[in-house]
Amino acid sequence: MQTQKRLLVTGAGGFIGHHLVRRLKADGHWVRGVDLKYPEYEASSADEFEILDLRKAEDCLLATRGGMDEVYNLAADMGGIGYITAFHASISRNNILINAHMLEAARQNGVKRFLFSSSACVYNQSKQKDPEVKPLREEDAYPADPEPGYGWEKLFAEELCRYYYKDYGFETRIVRFHNVYGPLGTYEGGKEKAPAAISRKVAAAPVGGEIEIWGDGEQTRSFMLVDDCVEGLIRIMASDYRDALNLGTDELVTINELVDIVCNIAGKRLTKRHDLTGPQGVRGRNSDNTLLRKVLGWEPSIHLAQGLAVTYKWIALERKKKEAAQSELVSAR
Ligand code: NAD
């Protein structure tokens, strides 16, 4: 077994944070989870779980107290494309506060290493206008023209990490996630991402029914199963690479193809109805993993169809459980 470390995961009540805590515990570490809320679908396996608001400097000092070796800073106000295009001011303000206060608190409390979860939304939008997009290399974030709000705020927090290393020698790692999906992730309510939203819609549709898709469905993306994401996070934290690194797959699909894969898994034939007024984000986005392979000698490798099969199964089951609970409630009245 590796040496036990004291680790902090912020955003531990959220999707990636929850999976990460489970994996770090399985690896034998002592883990504190922090969030505004507890995980929604399963209890956390953290040794300590604290409800704190990391927009406040004093809460960040509490979160990072007690001799933490490493901090995985995953807390953020975020959601799918509908959410991040609707709320520029509140998302930017909340995340700027979280990241600035978390970096400073971690430094003051003598944390040895700090990982910041950035996003593919930092990439220059003019390099993502074609569905046949050239995979994005880390340097394609500049000259800066990121996604309004969420992308700008992530790009600046990346810079802040660099300044903390330059001015204080504070060890930071920067990870640019490309669309993470998997079981135990939000699948309804407006914050869900495309794989979860599509799985939910397919599960809800009657055989031979319709499915609504935002845009013409020819926009392209790559998607990474959360298991690959967690593996990558741990490897990047352990590496000696301080600049930004992509963490995603380079298996590019259109949203229409994504729908076909999920329909196949569900064994349903559905007619696609395209809502051309719906938000769709950039036209094409893919991850270039050349640098990731060079730094880690590893890259995410779980195929989309394989990951979607487990994700769809989980969402379909959750929906059934919810429906059963609701009908029990109605019959009890
Ligand atoms: P998530 O929304 O499931 O988790 C984020 C968690 O942060 C939530 O549980 C939320 O309650 C918590 N949080 C928000 N504000 C907080 C505050 N003030 N104090 C304490 N906790 C707070 O999102 P996720 O998918 O698990 O994403 C984790 C990180 O990865 C985020 O930084 C996100 O921006 C980044 N990211 C994710 C994806 C993806 O595809 N999931 C893509 C790019 C970047």
Side-chain angles (χ1 to χ4, degrees):
M1 204 198 91
Q2 38 185 316
T3 358
Q4 191 191 50
K5 289 183 193 154
R6 285 176 68 78
L7 305 173
L8 168 64
V9 177
T10 74
F15 170 48
I16 302 172
H18 176 68
H19 282 271
L20 178 64
V21 167
R22 199 165 57 182
R23 166 67 191 274
L24 295 172
K25 277 306 301 167
D27 287 351
H29 300 295
W30 186 92
V31 183
R32 175 183 296 148
V34 165
D35 203 300
L36 286 172
K37 62 172 179 73
Y38 292 103
E40 209 170 327
Y41 307 107
E42 176 183 278
S44 175
S45 41
D47 295 278
E48 243 175 50
F49 196 103
E50 297 185 341
I51 299 292
L52 294 170
D53 183 347
L54 301 173
R55 288 170 298 186
K56 298 179 185 162
E58 62 273 24
D59 282 21
C60 293
L61 283 167
L62 277 175
T64 51
R65 76 191 186 283
M68 289 293 150
D69 293 305
E70 295 170 355
V71 171
Y72 290 88
N73 191 32
L74 303 185
D77 182 5
M78 67 98 61
I81 190 68
Y83 184 77
I84 65 166
T85 50
F87 305 108
H88 291 152
S90 58
I91 290 177
S92 304
R93 177 177 184 276
N94 290 339
N95 293 341
I96 284 167
L97 289 172
I98 293 172
N99 293 323
H101 288 320
M102 274 302 299
L103 259 171
E104 179 57 15
R107 184 188 75 85
Q108 282 187 24
N109 274 327
V111 168
K112 296 192 189 101
R113 213 169 258 210
F114 183 98
L115 181 143
F116 168 59
S117 51
S118 187
S119 162
C121 289
V122 301
Y123 283 111
N124 184 309
Q125 295 180 91
S126 69
K127 297 179 184 175
Q128 305 172 74
K129 290 202 182 303
D130 188 344
E132 300 287 318
V133 63
K134 207 167 138 239
L136 293 158
R137 287 178 309 180
E138 283 74 2
E139 61 262 36
D140 290 328
Y142 291 96
D145 179 20
E147 185 81 35
Y150 180 72
W152 271 109
E153 155 273 299
K154 290 282 190 198
L155 193 63
F156 183 71
E158 287 189 0
E159 282 298 304
L160 201 54
C161 288
R162 293 185 187 101
Y163 302 153
Y164 264 66
Y165 178 69
K166 189 176 140 287
D167 291 3
Y168 304 120
F170 185 60
E171 283 288 349
T172 51
R173 302 288 177 271
I174 302 167
V175 183
R176 290 183 185 152
F177 295 126
H178 289 250
N179 297 308
V180 189
Y181 71 97
L184 306 177
T186 304
Y187 65 92
E188 60 183 356
K191 282 194 166 187
E192 65 279 15
K193 307 282 190 56
I198 289 167
S199 296
R200 186 199 70 231
K201 288 180 188 180
V202 171
V207 176
E210 270 195 350
I211 177 165
E212 186 197 77
I213 300 170
W214 286 349
D216 65 2
E218 289 306 305
Q219 63 271 34
T220 54
R221 295 289 184 280
S222 70
F223 298 94
M224 166 173 58
L225 186 65
V226 67
D227 302 35
D228 263 340
C229 175
V230 163
E231 180 66 36
L233 278 172
I234 292 170
R235 287 173 182 258
I236 292 172
M237 180 68 106
S239 80
D240 55 9
Y241 194 77
R242 295 190 192 95
D243 220 321
L245 272 179
N246 280 331
L247 183 56
T249 73
D250 51 12
E251 186 184 349
L252 193 70
V253 286
T254 65
I255 298 301
N256 286 329
E257 285 166 347
L258 183 67
V259 172
D260 292 340
I261 298 172
V262 178
C263 283
N264 236 342
I265 290 165
K268 286 185 184 177
R269 281 178 82 99
L270 301 176
T271 307
K272 300 184 189 85
R273 186 165 45 80
H274 293 105
D275 172 7
L276 300 179
T277 62
Q280 52 167 304
V282 292
R283 195 64 183 147
R285 176 180 289 159
N286 197 3
S287 175
D288 183 318
N289 288 346
T290 312
L291 186 58
L292 184 73
R293 279 193 296 269
K294 193 172 153 210
V295 171
L296 298 184
W298 174 92
E299 69 184 308
S301 62
I302 302 169
H303 287 298
L304 184 58
Q306 201 183 335
L308 281 175
V310 268
T311 307
Y312 178 79
K313 198 170 152 200
W314 178 79
I315 291 176
L317 199 70
E318 279 300 305
R319 285 194 73 255
K320 270 202 188 128
K321 280 200 264 176
K322 211 170 171 176
E323 274 171 18
Q326 273 162 357
S327 62
E328 241 174 61
L329 209 69
V330 170
S331 58
R333 273 189 197 144

